[in-house]
Coordinates of all heavy atoms in Angstrom, one line a residue:
K302 N 7.2 -6.3 12.4 CA 5.9 -6.7 12.9 C 6.1 -7.3 14.3 O 5.1 -7.8 14.9 CB 5.2 -7.6 12.0 CG 5.0 -6.9 10.6 CD 4.6 -7.9 9.5 CE 4.6 -7.2 8.2 NZ 4.3 -8.1 7.1
G303 N 7.3 -7.4 14.8 CA 7.5 -7.8 16.2 C 8.1 -9.2 16.4 O 8.4 -9.6 17.5
L304 N 8.4 -9.9 15.3 CA 9.1 -11.2 15.4 C 10.6 -10.9 15.6 O 11.2 -10.0 15.1 CB 8.9 -12.0 14.1 CG 7.5 -12.5 13.8 CD1 7.5 -13.2 12.4 CD2 7.1 -13.5 14.8
S305 N 11.2 -11.9 16.3 CA 12.7 -11.7 16.6 C 13.3 -13.1 16.9 O 12.5 -14.1 17.2 CB 12.9 -10.8 17.8 OG 12.3 -11.4 19.0
G306 N 14.6 -13.2 16.7 CA 15.3 -14.4 17.1 C 14.8 -15.7 16.5 O 14.5 -15.8 15.3
D307 N 14.6 -16.7 17.3 CA 14.2 -18.0 16.8 C 12.7 -18.0 16.3 O 12.3 -18.8 15.5 CB 14.2 -19.1 17.9 CG 15.6 -19.5 18.3 OD1 16.6 -19.2 17.5 OD2 15.8 -20.0 19.4
D308 N 11.9 -17.0 16.7 CA 10.6 -16.9 16.2 C 10.6 -16.7 14.7 O 9.7 -17.3 14.0 CB 9.9 -15.7 16.8 CG 9.6 -15.8 18.3 OD1 9.8 -17.0 18.8 OD2 9.3 -14.8 19.0
I309 N 11.5 -16.0 14.2 CA 11.6 -15.8 12.7 C 11.9 -17.1 12.0 O 11.3 -17.4 11.0 CB 12.7 -14.7 12.4 CG1 12.3 -13.4 12.9 CG2 13.0 -14.7 10.9 CD1 13.4 -12.3 12.8
T310 N 12.8 -17.9 12.6 CA 13.1 -19.2 12.0 C 11.9 -20.1 12.0 O 11.6 -20.8 11.0 CB 14.3 -19.8 12.7 OG1 15.4 -19.0 12.8 CG2 14.6 -21.2 12.1
H311 N 11.2 -20.1 13.1 CA 10.0 -21.0 13.1 C 8.9 -20.5 12.1 O 8.3 -21.4 11.5 CB 9.4 -20.9 14.6 CG 10.3 -21.6 15.6 ND1 11.0 -22.7 15.4 CD2 10.6 -21.2 16.9 CE1 11.7 -23.0 16.5 NE2 11.4 -22.1 17.4
V312 N 8.7 -19.2 12.0 CA 7.6 -18.8 11.1 C 8.1 -19.0 9.7 O 7.3 -19.4 8.8 CB 7.3 -17.3 11.3 CG1 6.4 -16.7 10.3 CG2 6.7 -17.1 12.7
D313 N 9.3 -18.8 9.4 CA 9.9 -19.1 8.0 C 9.6 -20.5 7.6 O 9.2 -20.8 6.5 CB 11.3 -18.7 7.9 CG 11.9 -18.8 6.5 OD1 11.5 -18.1 5.7 OD2 12.8 -19.7 6.3
A314 N 9.9 -21.4 8.5 CA 9.7 -22.9 8.3 C 8.2 -23.2 8.1 O 7.8 -24.0 7.2 CB 10.3 -23.7 9.4
A315 N 7.3 -22.5 8.9 CA 5.9 -22.7 8.8 C 5.4 -22.2 7.4 O 4.5 -22.8 6.8 CB 5.2 -22.1 9.9
L316 N 5.9 -21.1 7.0 CA 5.5 -20.6 5.7 C 5.9 -21.5 4.5 O 5.2 -21.7 3.5 CB 6.1 -19.2 5.5 CG 5.5 -18.0 6.3 CD1 6.3 -16.8 6.1 CD2 4.0 -17.8 5.9
A317 N 7.1 -22.1 4.7 CA 7.6 -23.1 3.7 C 6.6 -24.3 3.6 O 6.3 -24.8 2.5 CB 9.0 -23.5 4.0
R318 N 6.2 -24.7 4.8 CA 5.3 -25.8 4.8 C 3.9 -25.4 4.2 O 3.3 -26.2 3.5 CB 5.1 -26.3 6.3 CG 4.0 -27.2 6.6 CD 4.2 -28.6 5.9 NE 3.2 -29.5 6.4 CZ 2.9 -30.6 5.7 NH1 3.5 -30.9 4.5 NH2 1.9 -31.5 6.1
L319 N 3.5 -24.2 4.5 CA 2.2 -23.7 3.9 C 2.3 -23.7 2.4 O 1.4 -24.1 1.7 CB 1.9 -22.4 4.5 CG 0.7 -21.7 3.9 CD1 -0.6 -22.4 4.2 CD2 0.6 -20.2 4.4
A320 N 3.4 -23.2 1.9 CA 3.6 -23.1 0.4 C 3.5 -24.5 -0.2 O 2.8 -24.7 -1.2 CB 4.9 -22.5 0.1
D321 N 4.1 -25.5 0.5 CA 4.0 -26.9 0.0 C 2.6 -27.4 -0.1 O 2.1 -28.0 -1.0 CB 4.9 -27.8 0.9 CG 5.0 -29.2 0.3 OD1 5.4 -29.4 -0.8 OD2 4.6 -30.1 1.1
L322 N 1.8 -27.1 1.0 CA 0.4 -27.6 1.0 C -0.5 -26.8 0.0 O -1.4 -27.4 -0.5 CB -0.2 -27.3 2.4 CG 0.4 -28.2 3.6 CD1 0.0 -27.6 4.9 CD2 0.0 -29.6 3.4
L323 N -0.1 -25.6 -0.3 CA -0.9 -24.8 -1.3 C -0.4 -25.0 -2.7 O -1.1 -24.5 -3.7 CB -0.8 -23.3 -1.0 CG -1.5 -22.9 0.3 CD1 -1.2 -21.4 0.6 CD2 -3.0 -23.0 0.2
G324 N 0.7 -25.7 -2.9 CA 1.2 -25.9 -4.3 C 1.8 -24.6 -4.8 O 1.8 -24.4 -6.0
L325 N 2.4 -23.8 -3.9 CA 2.9 -22.5 -4.3 C 4.4 -22.6 -4.4 O 5.1 -23.1 -3.5 CB 2.5 -21.5 -3.3 CG 3.1 -20.1 -3.4 CD1 2.6 -19.4 -4.7 CD2 2.8 -19.2 -2.2
D326 N 5.0 -22.0 -5.4 CA 6.5 -21.9 -5.5 C 6.9 -20.8 -4.5 O 6.7 -19.6 -4.8 CB 6.9 -21.5 -6.9 CG 8.4 -21.4 -7.0 OD1 9.1 -21.5 -6.0 OD2 8.9 -21.1 -8.2
P327 N 7.6 -21.1 -3.4 CA 7.9 -20.1 -2.4 C 9.0 -19.1 -2.9 O 9.3 -18.1 -2.2 CB 8.4 -20.9 -1.2 CG 8.9 -22.1 -1.8 CD 8.0 -22.4 -3.0
A328 N 9.7 -19.4 -4.0 CA 10.7 -18.5 -4.5 C 10.2 -17.5 -5.5 O 10.9 -16.6 -5.9 CB 11.8 -19.4 -5.2
L329 N 8.9 -17.6 -5.8 CA 8.3 -16.6 -6.7 C 8.4 -15.2 -6.2 O 7.9 -14.9 -5.1 CB 6.8 -17.0 -7.0 CG 6.1 -16.3 -8.1 CD1 6.7 -16.7 -9.5 CD2 4.6 -16.6 -8.0

Side-chain angles (χ1 to χ4, degrees):
K302 300 166 188 179
L304 291 174
S305 61
D307 289 342
D308 293 346
I309 292 173
T310 303
H311 293 321
V312 173
D313 186 64
L316 288 172
R318 170 66 173 158
L319 175 65
D321 185 57
L322 291 169
L323 291 171
L325 172 69
D326 178 1
L329 188 68

